[in-house]
Amino acid sequence: MKERPAAPAGNDVETAVIEHTAGDGTVYYVEHFQKTILPADIDSHAANILGCEACPQHGRNLACPPFSPPFPRHIGLKTSARVTGYRVSLEQFPGQTQEERYHAAFREMRGLLVQELLEERRRGRVVAGAGACLACEECAAAQGEKKCRNPAAMIYSLESMGVNLVALSEKALDLRLQWSGSGGMADHVIAIGAVFYD
């Protein structure tokens, strides 16, 4: 994975373009964004968790509600938060349907994010990602178990702890999240996480 500086984003966001080689040898050019903020500047409220109830993973993933801890308990007394994001254009995934392109891009961006977060955890830092934990093929919660089988790889979801991910992305990284749905498909896929430390 090679990294080269990119043009600065607004809001003092550090940016770089990464040359990422996927498992099949395909090379993708990925934008990497990061900015350090105060944990107190992260919008987190218990009411934000209500959106998780509509997710098909609700109650079936130990990194999501009702199993995830409240955000303040998860980060404890950490005094800094480095918000990080990976973004790739769907144009780099040709020859597939729009939905297949989206899922392929998501897998690559999620993989890069998880790799970074797990490296930070090994350094003793607290981490959180976005979306359900995908460390296992099927979460133990889906089979009624309440204990994670692979705790070293489990990453709690920011939104499952009440963080407003849309607000965090815009405030910290100056990025507007795009959604795919009945109104059309997104042009980019973005994976966002955070590292908390003293």
Side-chain angles (χ1 to χ4, degrees):
M1 186 164 61
K2 298 177 185 174
E3 186 171 321
R4 67 176 193 261
N11 207 9
D12 298 324
V13 179
E14 295 176 41
T15 64
V17 174
I18 296 169
E19 185 180 288
H20 166 62
T21 304
D24 65 359
T26 305
V27 174
Y28 299 105
Y29 293 94
V30 177
E31 295 171 281
H32 182 242
F33 302 84
Q34 66 180 18
K35 182 178 179 180
T36 300
I37 63 173
L38 297 173
D41 289 337
I42 296 176
D43 174 14
S44 68
H45 299 285
N48 292 339
I49 298 171
L50 296 176
C52 292
E53 292 179 4
C55 177
Q57 293 297 321
H58 189 269
R60 299 177 54 82
N61 193 292
L62 291 170
C64 293
F67 308 107
S68 49
F71 181 67
R73 183 167 40 135
H74 180 65
I75 68 168
L77 299 176
K78 301 302 180 190
T79 57
S80 293
R82 190 179 76 243
V83 182
T84 188
Y86 290 90
R87 180 172 72 175
V88 69
S89 168
L90 292 182
E91 291 179 356
Q92 296 187 63
F93 296 81
Q96 305 174 61
T97 68
Q98 193 76 353
E99 187 173 346
E100 289 169 339
R101 292 165 68 192
Y102 177 85
H103 289 296
F106 173 79
R107 281 191 303 273
E108 294 300 327
M109 295 309 95
R110 179 65 181 253
L112 287 171
L113 177 65
V114 166
Q115 180 181 0
E116 179 180 336
L117 295 179
L118 291 179
E119 285 174 9
E120 292 293 344
R121 178 183 282 160
R122 283 190 282 277
R123 294 183 178 117
R125 295 177 170 173
V126 173
V127 301
C133 178
L134 301 174
C136 300
E137 184 101 10
E138 181 180 43
C139 183
Q143 297 179 352
E145 299 174 32
K146 300 215 183 318
K147 187 171 181 182
C148 178
R149 298 175 191 150
N150 192 5
M154 185 179 80
I155 298 175
Y156 284 112
S157 154
L158 285 161
E159 58 267 49
S160 80
M161 296 185 288
V163 172
N164 181 332
L165 205 57
V166 172
L168 179 64
S169 177
E170 291 180 7
K171 182 176 188 176
L173 302 179
D174 203 24
L175 293 176
R176 185 174 296 267
L177 297 181
Q178 295 181 336
W179 308 102
S180 294
S182 57
M185 293 297 288
D187 298 322
H188 293 83
V189 168
I190 303 172
I192 294 175
V195 178
F196 303 93
Y197 54 96
D198 298 321

